[in-house]
Amino acid sequence: TDAQLDALLRVQRASAPIEHTPRRWFADPFLWKALLIEGVVWAMLGYAIGAFAEVVIHREDVHVHPGQVIAVGLVVATVALLVLVGATWLVLRGSSRGHRVLIESAVVLCLGLPVTSIQVVGDTNRALDDAAAVTVTAMVDRCEVREHRGKRGRKSYSYHLWLDGRPTPDRFALPAQIEVVHELCRAADAARLIELTIKPGRWGLPWYQRLAASGVTWEAPT
């Protein structure tokens, strides 16, 4: 009817300004701040997952003393956590919704930062190391094979070279055992010798650039 058509036209004219006005949440500065913060935080967690997967796949030791890399990485993670949480609080302060993003960010950072920091410390320690390498020869006591059971009874193995403990003429204190790849463990066990090419590391964390025994060679990933 004419009355109904007239009513629809009035509604259309009344809603016209709304149609041409951007949605309110597009203009909300909190939204963009929250998206930026969460993007950075979740990217760190994604990096941590990738780094953890790499460690699981490649179990062999890259650094002479892996425990030192973990210790330095955890210190870096602690400092980074305090800085990032503090920066998040400064960016979101004054917003009634800010505490939710702050808590979520802190939880995700606690999960991802330790692995991320350890990986970054190890990677930069090697990538930025321009010092000369030292090559030493160590006596091998034995090759130990360890069995690991995973989910559903799946088995995996790790290979550990035990050194005989005699002092070597170098400035790096060698560990009692080194986790290596299968082929190198067998070759060094047969030869009773292993040649280690070691670099001091950019952060003072020595690492194996190259390991060799009986024609079998392993090189650290770059």
Side-chain angles (χ1 to χ4, degrees):
T1 64
D2 291 343
Q4 291 175 327
L5 180 60
D6 184 59
L8 289 174
L9 290 173
R10 286 200 300 272
V11 171
Q12 182 182 19
R13 286 194 294 270
S15 62
I18 299 176
E19 294 177 357
H20 297 289
T21 302
R23 292 187 178 184
R24 185 177 179 183
W25 56 273
F26 272 120
D28 185 359
F30 173 82
L31 172 69
W32 300 109
K33 291 177 182 178
L35 287 177
L36 176 62
I37 291 170
E38 292 195 357
V40 172
V41 168
W42 284 97
M44 288 186 178
L45 182 60
Y47 182 88
I49 293 172
F52 181 77
E54 183 179 350
V55 171
V56 171
I57 295 171
H58 302 286
R59 304 174 60 107
E60 59 270 13
D61 289 337
V62 176
H63 287 85
V64 177
H65 304 289
Q68 293 179 354
V69 180
I70 294 173
V72 174
L74 292 178
V75 172
V76 172
T78 302
V79 174
L81 176 64
L82 295 176
V83 171
L84 290 172
V85 170
T88 301
W89 178 80
L90 288 174
V91 170
L92 298 178
R93 65 178 177 174
S95 172
S96 60
R97 297 167 288 175
H99 67 283
R100 298 178 183 175
V101 178
L102 182 63
I103 293 173
E104 178 187 341
S105 299
V107 171
V108 175
L109 287 172
C110 286
L111 293 174
L113 264 180
V115 178
T116 298
S117 299
I118 292 169
Q119 184 71 22
V120 169
V121 167
D123 289 346
T124 56
N125 182 65
R126 301 193 309 274
L128 302 178
D129 184 8
D130 57 359
V134 173
T135 300
V136 298
T137 300
M139 302 292 294
V140 172
D141 180 59
R142 69 185 187 278
C143 171
E144 178 189 1
V145 181
R146 298 179 186 174
E147 180 180 291
H148 308 275
R149 291 186 177 272
K151 294 181 179 179
R152 301 179 182 177
R154 293 179 180 175
K155 297 180 181 180
S156 62
Y157 300 90
S158 60
Y159 303 89
H160 304 259
L161 272 181
W162 286 87
L163 307 182
D164 73 350
R166 279 187 267 176
T168 55
D170 64 274
R171 67 177 187 271
F172 302 114
L174 296 179
Q177 61 93 22
I178 309 170
E179 186 168 353
V180 297
V181 296
H182 173 228
E183 297 81 5
L184 184 62
C185 196
R186 296 300 188 192
D189 187 40
R192 296 297 177 184
L193 288 172
I194 184 170
E195 184 179 84
L196 308 99
T197 301
I198 303 174
K199 299 196 70 175
R202 182 64 179 85
W203 314 128
L205 304 168
W207 56 284
Y208 303 114
Q209 185 182 46
R210 180 177 175 272
L211 302 176
S214 296
V216 177
T217 301
W218 172 89
E219 293 186 356
T222 56

